[in-house]
Amino acid sequence: MRVTICIGSACHLKGSREIVAQLQAMVKERHLEEQVDLNGSFCSGNCVSGVCVTVDGQLYSLKPEDTREFFDREIIGRL
């Protein structure tokens, strides 16, 4: 599974660094390094709501406080 987090300037200001750190910790905590490929990218073109995150090409808008729920639903839920 490929998960891409926007680290462009708008998403950086909305908390992308925190989301990256949380996702890295959750992947490591569950020993999913071989199944989940975390990547960074610059502008995904949807900067209005929150941090742009894609899971296998599907776009989501995420806030740092919603990362755990997102991980459980969209990442664990697909494995």
Side-chain angles (χ1 to χ4, degrees):
M1 171 183 298
R2 184 176 181 88
V3 179
T4 305
I5 305 99
C6 180
I7 55 172
S9 57
C11 286
H12 174 76
L13 293 173
K14 294 176 185 171
S16 65
R17 178 177 281 182
E18 184 179 343
I19 290 171
V20 168
Q22 287 183 50
L23 289 174
Q24 286 174 328
M26 288 182 246
V27 166
K28 186 174 182 175
E29 172 184 294
R30 299 218 184 172
H31 308 288
L32 297 173
E33 295 90 346
E34 297 296 319
Q35 294 174 285
V36 179
D37 180 24
L38 294 176
N39 297 277
S41 72
F42 289 99
C43 192
S44 300
N46 190 29
C47 306
V48 178
S49 301
V51 176
C52 297
V53 177
T54 60
V55 177
D56 290 335
Q58 186 172 356
L59 183 64
Y60 298 90
S61 186
L62 192 60
K63 296 177 184 171
E65 60 269 21
D66 299 330
T67 305
R68 170 69 66 180
E69 179 185 339
F70 173 82
F71 181 81
D72 291 342
R73 184 183 66 245
E74 300 300 337
I75 296 175
I76 297 299
R78 294 180 187 213
L79 293 176

